[in-house]
Amino acid sequence: TAASLGRLLKARGLKVAAQKLDPYINVDPGTMNPYQHGEVYVTDDGAETDLDLGHYERYLNTALSQKNNTTSGSIYYKVITKERHGDYLGGTVQVIPHITDEIKNAILSLAKDEPENPAPDVAIIEIGGTVGDIESLPFVEAIRQLSFRVGRNNTCFMHLTLCPYIASAGELKTKPTQHSVQKLREEGVYPDVLLCRADRPIPENERAKISLFSNVPMDHVISVYDAKTIYEVPLILHEQHLDDIVCEKLGIKAKEADLSQWKNIVHRYMEPQNGSVTIAMVGKYVDYADSYKSLNEALIHAGITTDTHVKVKYVDSTDIEENSTGCLEGVDAILVPGGFGKRGVEGMIKAIEYARTHKIPFLGICLGMQCAVIEFARNVLGIADANSSEMEQTPHPVIDLMEEQKGIT
């Protein structure tokens, strides 16, 4: 939703920056399990960040960096480092003001006017987690304080809530939204806009009820219902005038949004003219599609560009180890993505051999490329024990660390 709003504002000629604030204690997502958190999105400056930054880059068509993603862990790390260096001159270090000040500094870093990166007209700050979580409290308090520092007229608070549909009752429930707004108001933040997630459009009478209980104008209660593609979301929000509401709240005069190119993207995705292709993605973490989010989106973009529907067939590489390569029959291409550790590697190698011997287009990324080298060495060059030194010690490490890197820990 944050990325979609950014797209709308950019379509109105505004310069937009986006930042994700994650309340978890990890310093960054780099070592987090893909099954728990999805992919790690690496920015141009090498920062390992939340996968939402990938959405920001794709929707805003701009390169982001480390400063666009901040976690509780990184905030506490900075504060503790300063305390150890004596920067607080022996004072008592507390959540307020020290932690909240560091969060505000992270947010305000987006506003710096640099030669190659001018200050944005609008900064969209997304706080992850759930209202009421203990770890998110300092972030909510920080934006409350910041709204007074920059002026309430320069701030627009938006709250994303859930309106679940109870099939047995045949109705949408607004109580979760009412209680979530109440909790947020208890923490000192009064939302200007409610973005209500549901699996279907929210009826007018339910929006009126939410408006009444939340003290938010009814036209500011936005129905964010399930779309056929996430690229349709900016159009759904624009139909409900979200960009108009934000510009009016912030006192910004901007041209009308030109979404003609975006509508063409959605049209080509939903109604491709050149048939379909099936691509097997052979990986370790296929049970959770967000583990390969950027690859999935890249395939979608390729399909849009070629006016083709791309079907992704997820194949667990350990299944190939146990059941051979029969699951790859009929696919048009094979993609082997990255991963860590030796689990499933032999299955990847078998999939790559299948692609080579059956002359199926193949792309190996990171570990997938390593496996391609190992497969070729074993099955074409006849080096039976060829392997990567990352997997095991072998007399023929066809993938190895460079000598100057071996002492680095």
Side-chain angles (χ1 to χ4, degrees), residues 47-66:
E48 297 176 329
T49 69
D50 186 84
L51 64 81
D52 282 338
L53 267 70
H55 287 304
Y56 299 162
E57 288 201 351
R58 288 185 286 270
Y59 278 63
L60 300 178
N61 193 28
T62 187
L64 304 182
S65 65
Q66 177 67 76

Side-chain angles (χ1 to χ4, degrees), residues 328 334 350-362:
L328 299 176
I334 295 174
K350 287 182 179 179
I352 294 166
E353 180 185 14
Y354 182 90
R356 180 177 57 79
T357 56
H358 289 75
K359 301 188 183 303
I360 297 174
F362 161 77

Side-chain angles (χ1 to χ4, degrees), residues 1 127 129-131 157-165 172-185 191-200 202 206-207 210-211 214 216 220-226:
T1 307
I127 300 177
T130 305
V131 169
F157 288 128
M158 309 175 72
H159 184 32
L160 180 66
T161 71
L162 178 64
C163 291
Y165 179 76
L172 285 164
K173 290 296 184 181
T174 64
K175 278 296 180 185
T177 291
Q178 295 175 35
H179 283 283
S180 184
V181 173
Q182 181 183 13
K183 185 64 178 175
L184 185 62
R185 289 164 65 91
D192 302 296
V193 178
L194 295 180
L195 302 168
C196 301
R197 280 289 289 118
D199 66 348
R200 64 200 64 207
I202 299 175
E206 300 297 337
R207 291 176 55 235
I210 293 171
S211 171
S214 303
V216 173
H220 290 204
V221 179
I222 308 297
S223 174
V224 188
Y225 52 87
D226 286 356

Side-chain angles (χ1 to χ4, degrees), residues 213-256:
F213 280 94
S214 303
N215 201 35
V216 173
M218 183 172 165
D219 60 343
H220 290 204
V221 179
I222 308 297
S223 174
V224 188
Y225 52 87
D226 286 356
K228 294 180 181 178
T229 166
I230 60 172
Y231 296 104
E232 194 179 10
V233 175
L235 305 181
I236 292 172
L237 299 181
H238 180 64
E239 287 176 358
Q240 299 175 74
H241 307 288
L242 178 61
D243 48 317
D244 291 329
I245 293 169
V246 172
C247 287
E248 181 180 358
K249 176 66 178 69
L250 298 178
I252 296 174
K253 294 182 179 180
K255 66 177 185 179
E256 290 297 315

Side-chain angles (χ1 to χ4, degrees), residues 75-148:
I75 293 294
Y76 278 86
Y77 183 82
K78 290 176 183 176
V79 170
I80 291 171
T81 300
K82 288 181 179 180
E83 188 273 332
R84 292 290 85 187
H85 288 167
D87 292 1
Y88 300 119
L89 303 177
T92 302
V93 180
Q94 298 175 294
V95 172
I96 301 173
H98 301 96
I99 296 297
T100 50
D101 281 353
E102 201 65 45
I103 294 171
K104 288 185 288 185
N105 290 339
I107 295 172
L108 292 171
S109 69
L110 294 182
K112 291 182 179 178
D113 200 358
E114 301 168 345
E116 296 183 0
N117 190 26
D121 300 306
V122 178
I124 298 174
I125 312 301
E126 179 180 3
I127 300 177
T130 305
V131 169
D133 287 349
I134 292 174
E135 58 263 34
S136 69
L137 287 173
F139 290 94
V140 175
E141 172 61 18
I143 63 170
R144 183 196 69 78
Q145 294 177 14
L146 192 59
S147 69
F148 284 96

Side-chain angles (χ1 to χ4, degrees), residues 19-38:
Q19 184 183 56
K20 180 70 183 297
L21 303 179
D22 285 305
Y24 49 73
I25 305 299
N26 306 67
V27 174
D28 62 47
T31 57
M32 294 177 73
N33 188 329
Y35 279 126
Q36 290 187 21
H37 192 72

